[in-house]
C-alpha cells in the first residue's frame, strides 16, 4: 500500500465517521432516514478529499479544514438527490434513489436538509476568512443551480454548441471541484498564488471529471458504475458525446441519431445502437482527448505549487481520477 493510499484511506474514514456523527437525529424519520441513507450509501468522497489534500499541500492542518470538507460532501449529496429527480434516475451507488425508495417530496426535503447541514458545519469553526468562504460557497451553490438549469434546458433543444456544453459542465460540476481546492488552500493558509493555482487545478479536474462521467454513462459496466447504463441517451442529454457525434458524424450517423432523438420515448434497447454510432463517428476517442487535455491542464496548475509530499498526494489523486472506472 502506497503512502497516498494510506493517507486517503485514513482521511476517508475520518470524513465518514464525522458525517455519520452529524446524522444522529431520528425524528421525523421521513427527513432523517433518507439523509442517512444517502450519506451511508457509499460515494467516493472525492470532494472532501480534495479539500483536505489541498489544505495539506500548502502546509495546513486537517483539523482546520475538516468542517469545510464535510460541508462540500453534504452539498454534493444534496445535488445528487435533486439531480436524480430531475434526471428521473432510479439507481445511484447501486441502490434505489431517494425519490424511488420514498417519494419526490421526501427527496426535495432531505436535499434541503443537507444544504442546511452543509452551511451549519461550514460555519461551525471561526476563521479570519470565514465570511469570504461563506460567500464563495453560496456563489458555487448558485452556479450549480445555473448549470443544472442549463442541463435541463438542453434536453429539449435540438442543437447545443460545444461551447454551451462546456459552460454548462463548468457550472454544474467544475465549480464545486474548484471551490474544494480553493477553500482547502485558504484554510491551509496558502499564498494567494497557491490558492489561485489550486482553484484552477480543481476547475480543470472538474471539467475532465464530468466529461468522464458522460463517457462512463455509455462505456462503463453498469454494476460497477452503480447507475443506469445509457441514462443520458434516454433523457436526451446534450453530453459532449452526443454533440460531437451530431456534428462530426457522417450523414448516415447523423440521421440515425436524429431518428432516435425524435422518438417519443427512448428505450434502453436503443443505447447499444447509439454506442455504435458514437464509435463510428470517432466520438469515444474525441471525448478521451478532451479528458486528457483537462487533466494535463490541471496538472500544470498543480505544479505551480512548490514540490512537497502534499503536492505529490494531489498528483496521485489526479492519477486515480485519470484511471477511474466509476
Ligand atoms: C457524480 O459525482 C455527479 C457528478 C458530478 C458527475 P461522483 O461520481 O463524485 O459521485 P459519488 O459521490 O462518488 O457517488
Ligand atoms: C451531475 O451530472 C451534476 C450534479 C449533480 C450537479 P449528472 O446528472 O451527469 O450526474 P450523474 O451521472 O447523475 O451522477
Ligand atoms: Mg444525473
Ligand atoms: Mg443531471
Ligand atoms: Mg452523468
Amino acid at each position: 500500500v502506497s503512502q497516498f493510499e494510506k493517507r486517503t484511506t485514513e482521511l476517508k474514514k475520518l470524513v465518514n465517521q464525522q458525517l455519520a456523527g452529524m446524522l444522529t437525529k431520528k425524528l421525523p424519520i421521513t427527513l432523517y432516514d433518507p439523509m442517512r441513507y444517502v450519506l451511508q450509501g457509499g460515494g467516493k468522497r472525492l470532494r472532501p478529499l480534495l479539500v483536505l489534500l489541498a489544505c495539506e499541500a500548502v502546509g495546513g492542518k486537517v483539523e482546520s479544514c475538516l468542517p469545510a470538507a464535510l460541508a462540500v460532501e453534504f452539498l454534493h449529496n444534496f445535488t445528487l438527490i435533486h439531480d436524480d429527480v430531475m434526471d428521473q434516475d432510479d439507481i445511484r451507488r447501486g441502490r434505489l434513489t431517494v425519490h424511488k425508495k420514498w417519494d419526490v417530496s421526501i427527496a426535495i426535503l432531505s436535499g434541503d436538509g443537507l444544504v442546511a447541514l452543509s452551511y451549519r458545519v461550514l460555519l461551525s469553526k471561526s476563521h479570519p476568512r470565514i465570511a469570504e468562504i461563506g460567500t464563495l460557497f453560496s456563489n458555487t451553490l448558485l452556479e450549480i443551480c445555473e448549470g443544472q438549469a442549463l442541463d435541463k434546458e438542453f434536453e429539449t433543444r435540438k442543437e447545443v454548441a460545444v461551447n454551451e456544453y462546456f459552460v454548462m459542465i463548468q457550472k454544474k460540476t467544475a465549480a464545486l471541484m474548484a471551490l474544494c481546492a480553493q477553500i482547502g488552500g485558504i484554510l491551509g493558509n496558502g499564498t494567494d498564488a497557491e490558492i489561485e493555482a489550486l482553484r484552477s487545478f480543481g476547475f480543470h479536474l472538474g471539467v475532465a471529471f464530468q466529461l468522464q462521467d458522460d463517457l462512463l454513462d455509455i462505456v462503463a459496466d453498469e454494476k460497477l458504475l452503480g447507475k443506469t447504463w445509457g441514462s443520458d441517451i434516454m433523457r436526451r442529454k446534450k453530453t459532449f458525446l452526443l454533440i460531437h457525434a451530431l456534428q462530426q458524424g457522417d450523414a448516415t450517423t447523423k440521421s440515425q441519431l436524429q431518428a432516435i432523438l425524435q422518438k417519443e420515448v427512448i428505450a434502453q434497447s436503443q443505447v447499444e445502437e447509439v454506442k455504435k454510432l458514437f464509435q463510428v463517428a470517432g466520438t469515444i476517442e474525441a471525448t478521451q482527448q478532451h479528458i486528457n487535455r483537462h487533466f494535463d491542464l490541471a496538472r500544470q496548475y498543480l505544479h505551480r505549487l512548490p514540490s512537497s509530499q502534499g503536492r505529490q498526494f494531489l498528483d496521485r489523486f489526479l492519477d486515480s481520477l485519470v484511471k477511474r472506472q466509476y
Side-chain angles (χ1 to χ4, degrees), residues 112-243:
D112 294 343
L114 290 176
V115 179
L117 286 185
S118 76
Y119 274 95
R120 192 165 80 178
V121 66
L122 180 75
L123 305 175
S124 65
K125 200 172 182 331
S126 67
H127 185 278
R129 294 176 74 175
I130 196 66
E132 181 191 352
I133 290 169
T135 302
L136 289 169
F137 198 86
S138 304
N139 289 343
T140 305
L141 170 51
L142 193 58
E143 205 171 352
I144 296 171
C145 295
E146 290 174 9
Q148 291 287 74
L150 292 172
D151 177 284
K152 287 299 290 179
E153 277 184 22
F154 292 173
E155 284 181 15
T156 50
R157 272 202 15 213
K158 267 195 147 166
E159 273 177 52
V160 173
V162 180
N163 277 346
E164 293 180 293
Y165 166 82
F166 277 105
V167 169
M168 185 268 284
I169 70 165
Q170 283 164 15
K171 288 174 178 287
K172 76 169 180 178
T173 303
L176 181 55
M177 296 273 202
L179 176 83
C180 289
Q182 181 182 18
I183 59 180
I186 295 173
L187 293 166
N189 285 321
T191 65
D192 288 350
E194 286 172 336
I195 294 164
E196 221 19 73
L198 281 168
R199 178 172 174 81
S200 301
F201 164 70
F203 178 81
H204 288 288
L205 215 57
V207 173
F209 189 83
Q210 185 60 49
L211 283 160
Q212 280 182 316
D213 183 83
D214 289 359
L215 183 59
L216 289 169
D217 184 76
I218 198 139
V219 304
D221 175 78
E222 191 176 59
K223 278 256 163 58
L224 196 59
L225 191 64
K227 302 191 270 195
T228 306
W229 178 61
S231 165
D232 290 339
I233 307 295
M234 294 189 275
R235 302 292 165 249
R236 299 174 169 79
K237 292 291 186 188
K238 301 305 177 297
T239 63
F240 180 83
L241 287 84
L242 187 61
I243 295 169

Side-chain angles (χ1 to χ4, degrees), residues 87-105:
D87 295 347
Q88 300 173 47
D89 277 319
D90 298 355
I91 303 288
R92 160 141 344 247
R93 297 169 176 163
R95 308 193 304 170
L96 282 177
T97 48
V98 173
H99 70 282
K100 280 289 157 181
K101 191 172 167 69
W102 287 273
D103 59 37
V104 172
S105 302

Side-chain angles (χ1 to χ4, degrees), residues 228-271:
T228 306
W229 178 61
S231 165
D232 290 339
I233 307 295
M234 294 189 275
R235 302 292 165 249
R236 299 174 169 79
K237 292 291 186 188
K238 301 305 177 297
T239 63
F240 180 83
L241 287 84
L242 187 61
I243 295 169
H244 178 275
L246 284 172
Q247 276 185 7
Q248 306 297 322
D250 57 25
T252 347
T253 303
K254 283 182 196 168
S255 67
Q256 283 178 309
L257 273 175
Q258 292 293 5
I260 293 169
L261 288 172
Q262 268 153 31
K263 286 183 188 295
E264 190 94 42
V265 178
I266 305 175
Q268 202 179 31
S269 55
Q270 244 121 24
V271 175

Side-chain angles (χ1 to χ4, degrees), residues 7-154:
R7 188 69 186 135
T8 50
T9 306
E10 269 169 18
L11 291 174
K12 239 177 103 165
K13 206 173 135 196
L14 176 66
V15 165
N16 286 334
Q17 278 170 353
Q18 295 280 324
L19 290 171
M22 290 177 182
L23 282 166
T24 51
K25 208 161 167 225
K26 299 243 159 21
L27 293 174
I29 54 167
T30 54
L31 176 63
Y32 291 107
D33 276 358
M35 285 163 70
R36 258 189 298 276
Y37 173 82
V38 168
L39 266 307
Q40 290 168 0
K44 297 179 285 292
R45 305 296 192 241
L46 297 175
R47 294 158 191 81
L49 279 176
L50 187 50
V51 174
L52 296 164
L53 294 174
C55 176
E56 289 192 323
V58 295
K61 293 256 173 297
V62 158
E63 54 165 23
S64 56
C65 65
L66 190 56
L70 303 171
V72 296
E73 188 61 19
F74 278 133
L75 190 74
H76 168 60
N77 281 268
F78 140 73
T79 72
L80 296 183
I81 298 176
H82 284 198
D83 176 74
D84 287 334
V85 174
M86 295 185 261
D87 295 347
Q88 300 173 47
D89 277 319
D90 298 355
I91 303 288
R92 160 141 344 247
R93 297 169 176 163
R95 308 193 304 170
L96 282 177
T97 48
V98 173
H99 70 282
K100 280 289 157 181
K101 191 172 167 69
W102 287 273
D103 59 37
V104 172
S105 302
I106 287 178
I108 293 171
L109 205 57
S110 55
D112 294 343
L114 290 176
V115 179
L117 286 185
S118 76
Y119 274 95
R120 192 165 80 178
V121 66
L122 180 75
L123 305 175
S124 65
K125 200 172 182 331
S126 67
H127 185 278
R129 294 176 74 175
I130 196 66
E132 181 191 352
I133 290 169
T135 302
L136 289 169
F137 198 86
S138 304
N139 289 343
T140 305
L141 170 51
L142 193 58
E143 205 171 352
I144 296 171
C145 295
E146 290 174 9
Q148 291 287 74
L150 292 172
D151 177 284
K152 287 299 290 179
E153 277 184 22
F154 292 173

